[in-house]
Amino acid sequence: MAGKTLYDKLWESHLVHEDADGTCLIYIDRHLVHEVTSPQAFEGLRLAGRKPWRADTIVANPDHNTPTKDWAKGIEDPISRLQVETLDNNIKETGALVYFPFKHANQGIIHVIGPENGTTLPGMTVVCGDSHTSTHGAFGALAHGIGTSEVEHVMATQTLIAKKSKRMLVKVDGQLGKGVTAKDVALAVIGKIGTAGGTGYAIEFGGEVIRALSMEGRMTICNMAIEAGARAGIIAPDEKTAEYLKGRQYAPKADQWERAVAYWNTLKSDADAEFDAVIELKGAEIAPQVTWGTSPEQVLPIGATVPDPAKETDATKRTSIENALKYMGLTANTPIEQIKLDKIFIGSCTNSRIEDLRAAAAVAKGKKVASNIALAMVVPGSGQVKRQAEAEGLDKIFIEAGFEWREPGCSMCLAMNADRLSAGERCASTSNRNFEGRQGPGGRTHLVSPEMAAAAAIAGHFVDVRNQI
Amino acid sequence: MKAFTQLNGLACPLDRANVDTDAIIPKQFLKSIKRSGFGPYLFDEWRYTNYGEPGMDCSTRPINKDFVLNQPRYQGAQVLLARDNFGCGSSREHAPWAIEDYGFRVIIAPSFADIFFSNCYKNGILPIVADAAIVDQLFKECEANEGYKLNVDLSSQTVTLPSGKTFSFDITPHRKHCLLNGLDEIGLTLQHADEIKAFEVKHKAAQPWLFA
């Protein structure tokens, strides 16, 4: 019999019940909660007279609606304010392990604060009413997004009704070139398998390139698994994982630490494990990536030119290229390096951690944002990231270069707060989705790494960051 | 949840692949703390030519006449025909809430995004995965024939075309049971409360740090 994959092990260690048709009850160890997808779930609990099964598994914090400047003014939009206050009230009623209300020193993007507090651990199941929950798979946790009905279900029962996914291994071997990042690997994978390539699968990322990545880089890759269609992305924990977690507030302590690490060391796919699909990439072949269209799979290396629909033989694909070019205001065959930008956004649960900010600052240091850039903003992922960056002087580097240094939150990744693009504006963004209207109605998003975003801010158009460092 | 048993409903063809949940219901409407009232804002940026805000009266907004949902022949549609990877992107359940509130009860596509697919079942919507060739045929017939209706029967797991042709679809017994009876899944799961508690005892012994 073939060995087990990491996904199999995580699944089996949380299986509470299995029906004859394969419908399972899976136990949930960590429930992350934000203000947008939870109010209806709390309301549902109240209406049914139910209480949370284990409130001590909840880690909550508002992030989508919170402003990134002028915090003294509070939340000006009354509808946003009500949603944030509703979360305050709901948590007051039910309790939680961790709650950082708006303006708390540690508030931030829920997917940034979980790991930095040690509330995300290897071997856990982690859910959140947010598709980017896949981020936490970087720790060897089974982590994925759920809908609001499922948020209510998890609160009421500590379980999730689920069917086991198929297993995909994405193996990236060799080494990444200088200036090529985890973000570029994620975009290259999506470019290769498409935004539906991972549908129905849990993706395990492995290979030399993944092992060489920091925890921040691993989080970036797992974060983008959902953009390849896979609910969950996972990376086996190793000494880097333990090193990252040691001493964090909610990480295992004292005598439990050794025992936990010993268990975490078993969390890897067996040598003879079988996957349902295997995708291989060579690290050395990956160049910095830029999306040109309105789906993350519409991505190309920096040296390429915008595709020509006339060269596409498949009618559906041709139409989607034409639609994307029209929305993006791009002409076929334009070199990507000639695309001029209006705004720059460095932030989001994909790329707002300390390492991302260090990398962007290294590119921007001593330079000035180009005059055609109307706004370049850096939004740290959490209060802790912001303080760390300021302690290292990164804020000064950004401000001197002409970037705005903001308060933490989701910000212009999805533009639920005041940070957004106007119609027709073009943005180099370190976020995760370039869908129509994602960063504001009519806004045009190009997804890139933090280094590429910083280099584009300085040049005013896309450039190959490998020539800048 | 509303039960779903059988429906003979007008079909509407949305001929676009990779329709994401940001397109189904844009972010500004996610600020609501309610579960209802999203129907008027379904596909907001495609349906109207001005920017929609929560609470806006949509009856006076300028509409995009080219968008399929605005065409008179598709008014009252209950079956949405869609292309590959429908519902990709964000996990927002506001997407199926908007679809259901608008009046759709069935979506037929060659493939769906995972999270959206399971969210549909929680809201009395039946998502049907059909072969790309069948979906193509439905698109062609629907566009060619005004008043094109499909008969969807959940208990026999079949869809019948106006021509009398039938195709069948898969659904797990659990989902079928819940949808046919409009069941509250939490109530069903709580029937396993003792199993959950027994699991917790074992889990805590193996990984006590998860219960600190």
Side-chain angles (χ1 to χ4, degrees):
Chain A
M1 208 176 107
K4 288 175 182 170
T5 67
L6 171 55
Y7 173 71
D8 296 327
K9 293 180 185 181
L10 294 171
W11 180 269
E12 286 166 17
S13 64
H14 290 86
L15 184 62
V16 174
H17 176 87
E18 182 165 4
D19 280 344
D21 72 353
T23 304
C24 296
L25 278 183
I26 294 297
Y27 190 80
I28 300 303
D29 297 311
R30 178 68 65 229
H31 193 178
L32 306 171
V33 174
H34 66 63
E35 80 278 21
V36 180
T37 54
S38 65
Q40 298 86 352
F42 282 108
E43 179 72 9
L45 281 187
R46 259 193 301 276
L47 290 174
R50 291 175 175 134
K51 296 263 178 252
W53 184 284
R54 267 185 74 197
D56 67 333
T57 61
I58 297 175
V59 172
N61 148 131
D63 53 11
H64 286 56
N65 280 279
T66 54
T68 58
K69 61 177 182 181
D70 301 330
W71 269 12
K73 289 187 192 161
I75 303 174
E76 290 192 272
D77 177 351
I79 312 178
S80 287
R81 192 168 61 236
L82 175 64
Q83 195 166 54
V84 170
E85 288 169 357
T86 301
L87 181 62
D88 289 341
N89 294 333
N90 284 333
I91 295 294
K92 237 175 248 161
E93 195 178 316
T94 59
L97 177 68
V98 179
Y99 184 56
F100 299 142
F102 173 48
K103 294 191 205 179
H104 186 283
N106 289 342
Q107 185 220 329
I109 305 172
I110 195 83
H111 304 309
V112 176
I113 68 165
E116 75 186 6
N117 290 317
T119 49
T120 298
L121 298 171
M124 269 185 167
T125 45
V126 181
V127 294
C128 177
D130 191 295
S131 60
H132 291 111
T133 310
S134 58
T135 309
H136 307 268
F139 289 82
L142 176 57
H144 60 75
I146 56 176
T148 298
S149 296
E150 292 174 318
V151 170
E152 185 182 338
H153 191 278
V154 170
M155 282 201 270
T157 71
Q158 212 55 46
T159 64
L160 190 67
I161 299 171
K163 276 197 90 167
K164 201 173 171 190
S165 302
K166 289 183 283 180
R167 302 146 313 170
M168 180 185 286
L169 174 66
V170 171
K171 198 158 173 269
V172 192
D173 273 322
Q175 264 193 314
L176 294 179
K178 204 178 169 194
V180 181
T181 69
K183 180 66 164 285
D184 301 303
V185 175
L187 287 169
V189 170
I190 297 162
K192 188 177 170 95
I193 69 173
T195 48
T199 302
Y201 289 94
I203 299 180
E204 179 175 344
F205 295 96
E208 292 157 356
V209 163
I210 306 297
R211 296 261 69 85
L213 287 174
S214 64
M215 290 314 295
E216 282 87 352
R218 294 178 189 183
M219 283 189 255
T220 299
I221 292 211
C222 288
N223 173 278
M224 296 285 285
I226 183 66
E227 309 319 329
R231 269 194 176 201
I234 323 170
I235 294 173
D238 57 13
E239 61 289 345
K240 273 187 203 168
T241 319
E243 184 60 32
Y244 177 98
L245 289 169
K246 196 166 190 182
R248 295 198 183 251
Q249 192 178 354
Y250 293 96
K253 294 279 170 346
D255 57 319
Q256 288 195 348
W257 174 256
E258 296 298 323
R259 202 178 145 194
V261 173
Y263 174 65
W264 298 344
N265 286 336
T266 69
L267 296 174
K268 54 185 159 212
S269 291
D270 296 332
D272 57 344
E274 279 178 14
F275 290 85
D276 300 292
V278 177
I279 307 288
E280 296 189 62
L281 281 86
K282 290 196 174 65
E285 291 174 5
I286 300 172
Q289 307 280 307
V290 182
T291 64
W292 55 268
T294 54
S295 163
E297 69 186 21
Q298 292 175 320
V299 64
L300 286 167
I302 177 69
T305 57
V306 172
D308 187 346
K311 290 179 189 155
E312 178 58 59
T313 49
D314 180 276
T316 311
K317 282 187 189 152
R318 187 165 57 240
T319 310
S320 78
I321 295 174
E322 285 165 354
N323 285 341
L325 292 183
K326 189 174 168 213
Y327 180 86
M328 293 297 288
L330 291 172
T331 310
N333 303 312
T334 304
I336 286 177
E337 294 201 56
Q338 286 179 14
I339 298 173
K340 281 197 172 173
L341 296 151
D342 305 304
K343 286 187 174 168
I344 308 292
F345 173 60
I346 297 176
S348 88
C349 58
T350 313
N351 280 128
S352 65
R353 298 177 183 83
I354 189 67
E355 186 181 278
D356 301 314
L357 304 191
R358 283 179 192 142
V363 173
K365 191 172 185 178
K367 299 188 178 125
K368 294 282 177 203
V369 169
S371 59
N372 59 303
I373 302 294
L375 171 70
M377 61 195 290
V378 183
V379 182
S382 70
Q384 287 192 48
V385 170
K386 186 169 186 247
R387 284 193 297 280
Q388 176 71 32
E390 288 172 353
E392 295 178 19
L394 305 183
D395 57 325
K396 290 196 181 62
I397 293 175
F398 285 122
I399 292 165
E400 278 163 22
F403 287 84
E404 289 191 14
W405 178 248
R406 298 287 188 93
E407 303 291 348
C410 299
S411 181
M412 207 163 71
C413 171
L414 86 165
M416 260 187 93
N417 68 358
D419 308 333
R420 60 183 76 157
L421 297 181
S422 303
E425 276 186 330
R426 188 180 298 286
C427 180
S429 177
T430 66
S431 56
N432 40 60
R433 288 185 178 136
N434 51 344
F435 299 154
E436 286 186 16
R438 172 81 179 179
Q439 294 192 292
R444 294 161 173 166
T445 305
H446 296 271
L447 303 176
V448 288
S449 71
E451 287 89 330
M452 283 288 284
I458 305 304
H461 56 88
F462 288 114
V463 287
D464 190 337
V465 72
R466 291 174 297 184
N467 304 329
Q468 313 278 311
I469 51 178
Chain B
M1 185 181 80
K2 264 192 212 168
F4 182 96
T5 50
Q6 185 273 339
L7 173 81
N8 188 35
L10 184 69
C12 174
L14 182 64
D15 195 1
R16 214 178 154 115
N18 297 316
V19 171
D20 58 74
T21 53
D22 275 81
I24 296 172
I25 184 85
K27 81 278 291 176
Q28 63 270 32
F29 303 106
L30 273 52
K31 294 175 188 175
S32 169
I33 56 171
K34 298 200 174 97
R35 239 186 146 101
S36 56
F38 295 100
Y41 311 109
L42 173 68
F43 298 120
D44 198 85
E45 285 178 20
W46 292 340
R47 228 164 120 194
Y48 306 99
T49 57
N50 67 347
Y51 180 69
E53 294 275 9
M56 224 179 215
D57 174 9
C58 292
S59 64
T60 58
R61 291 176 63 194
I63 64 162
N64 170 11
K65 290 192 180 118
D66 295 334
F67 185 57
V68 70
L69 250 61
N70 288 331
Q71 293 174 20
R73 58 181 285 196
Y74 296 121
Q75 299 313 300
Q78 291 177 290
V79 179
L80 183 65
L81 302 181
R83 296 292 188 183
D84 264 317
N85 201 24
F86 188 81
C88 60
S90 151
S91 61
R92 60 188 69 167
E93 198 163 318
H94 311 69
W97 292 339
I99 287 171
E100 197 273 339
D101 193 48
Y102 179 86
F104 288 115
R105 298 298 308 278
V106 175
I107 310 170
I108 304 177
S111 62
F112 291 87
D114 284 343
I115 303 178
F116 176 83
F117 189 69
S118 57
N119 281 342
C120 283
Y121 291 108
K122 319 282 180 190
N123 293 285
I125 300 170
L126 174 61
I128 295 176
V129 178
D131 278 353
I134 293 176
V135 175
D136 253 345
Q137 184 191 348
L138 297 179
F139 264 90
K140 280 186 191 132
E141 291 185 7
C142 183
E143 283 160 3
N145 301 288
E146 207 166 321
Y148 186 81
K149 284 188 168 184
L150 293 170
N151 196 319
V152 182
D153 184 66
L154 179 55
S155 56
S156 66
Q157 294 177 220
T158 55
V159 177
T160 308
L161 283 56
S163 62
K165 248 184 155 177
T166 291
F167 70 89
S168 57
F169 58 87
D170 286 337
I171 181 170
T172 64
H174 174 84
R175 283 172 165 162
K176 184 173 174 176
H177 176 67
C178 288
L179 212 45
L180 280 174
N181 299 291
L183 291 178
D184 163 17
E185 282 187 328
I186 294 176
L188 286 182
T189 297
L190 287 173
Q191 292 174 5
H192 297 284
D194 288 343
E195 264 177 284
I196 301 170
K197 284 177 194 155
F199 175 88
E200 267 178 337
V201 170
K202 190 181 73 171
H203 198 46
K204 190 172 179 177
Q207 297 182 64
W209 54 89
L210 298 179
F211 291 78

